[in-house]
């Protein structure tokens, strides 16, 4: 599987996972608001970093 061709889709997947974490924290009440913000940005930053690392 050539990951370079799938880079845009993988970044979109990471964004979707971050949105799920945010919705679960804010709407679902899984976490406190502070933890939700940190977890959401953590997923977005670390996920995108890993996609860029493995796709290049």
């Amino acid at each position: 599987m050539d990951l370079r061709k799938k880079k845009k889709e993988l970044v979109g997947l990471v964004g979707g996972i971050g949105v799920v974490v945010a919705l679960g924290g804010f709407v679902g009440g899984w976490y406190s608001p502070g933890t939700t913000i940190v977890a959401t940005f953590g997923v977005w930053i670390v996920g995108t970093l890993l996609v860029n690392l493995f796709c290049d």
Side-chain angles (χ1 to χ4, degrees), residues 2-26:
D2 189 19
L3 289 178
R4 289 182 184 177
K5 294 180 181 177
K6 302 283 185 184
K7 186 174 182 178
K8 185 183 280 188
E9 290 84 3
L10 290 171
V11 170
L13 177 67
V14 168
I17 293 171
V19 169
V20 168
V21 170
L23 286 175
F26 289 126

Side-chain angles (χ1 to χ4, degrees), residues 28-55:
W30 293 347
Y31 314 111
S32 67
T35 304
T36 300
I37 292 170
V38 170
T40 301
F41 281 107
V43 166
W44 284 337
I45 292 168
V46 173
T48 305
L49 177 78
L50 289 174
V51 168
N52 285 330
L53 180 70
F54 288 125
C55 289

